[in-house]
Every structure is written in structure tokens, then in C-alpha cells.
Amino acid sequence: MSNMVQEDQWVWVVVQDPAGNEQFLGQRDEMKGISFIPVWLEKDAALEGLKLLARDQGLKYEVQAIQYETLAPKAAETGFRLFVLDASGKVLEQIAP
């Protein structure tokens, strides 16, 4: 359950390899042992935040909108948390699966 995001709200995520083996771009905090999917509330923030993420330079990435109620169960299935970020990469909220 989120304090910042409503169930039917659209959020922004990064999709890795959108024309091929499409998947959400996840990140890993090795120090805390946490895997998460970065989420933004606005597209411009997501575009700025994308620059800060670890990614494979050989793949294409695209910022896409998705409804939170669709994203949350998919993250939970794979054991990922959702981190709501601002444009500078600051974590505004952590949502556990």
C-alpha cells in the first residue's frame, strides 16, 4: 500500500529492450540487499532519473506509463519493491511487495 500513489494512478517506469524482450528496468541496492523498480509520478522526472540508473549500454530504454494497479502485482511476483523517486533520484517512498 502506498501513501503517494493511488491504485488507479498512472506512474512512469523505464522499460528495457522495448522492441524485444521487454521488461521493467530494475535496480539493486547491494548494501541493503534490496531489488527495486524505480517509479516516478511525472514523465519529466522519469526522463531525468533515467540518466542516473545503472543499465546495460547495449540495450535500448524507454520511459513508459503504466497503471500502478498493474505494476504492483508484477513487482511482487518477482520480489521487487517499488521505489517512488524524484528527478534527482531521491527516494520519496518505498513500497514493499
Side-chain angles (χ1 to χ4, degrees):
M1 187 74 169
S2 170
N3 295 322
M4 297 188 73
V5 183
Q6 304 301 313
E7 285 293 317
D8 63 348
Q9 183 174 342
W10 289 87
V11 295
W12 297 91
V13 295
V14 177
V15 175
Q16 176 179 294
D17 199 15
N21 185 24
E22 187 173 280
Q23 62 184 359
F24 300 117
L25 176 61
Q27 299 290 286
R28 176 95 177 141
D29 182 334
E30 293 296 339
M31 293 181 69
K32 294 182 180 177
I34 298 172
S35 295
F36 65 94
I37 297 172
V39 175
W40 294 268
L41 302 178
E42 298 181 10
K43 184 177 183 178
D44 289 341
L47 291 169
E48 285 299 311
L50 172 59
K51 299 173 190 174
L52 305 172
L53 300 178
R55 45 194 171 154
D56 182 341
Q57 296 302 319
L59 296 174
K60 182 179 177 186
Y61 298 89
E62 186 175 277
V63 171
Q64 295 183 4
I66 186 170
Q67 278 193 301
Y68 176 79
E69 64 190 355
T70 302
L71 176 63
K74 291 181 182 209
E77 284 173 12
T78 56
F80 278 76
R81 293 183 184 194
L82 298 175
F83 280 18
V84 180
L85 306 179
D86 68 9
S88 70
K90 178 182 174 191
V91 178
L92 304 175
E93 182 178 23
Q94 294 184 30
I95 306 167

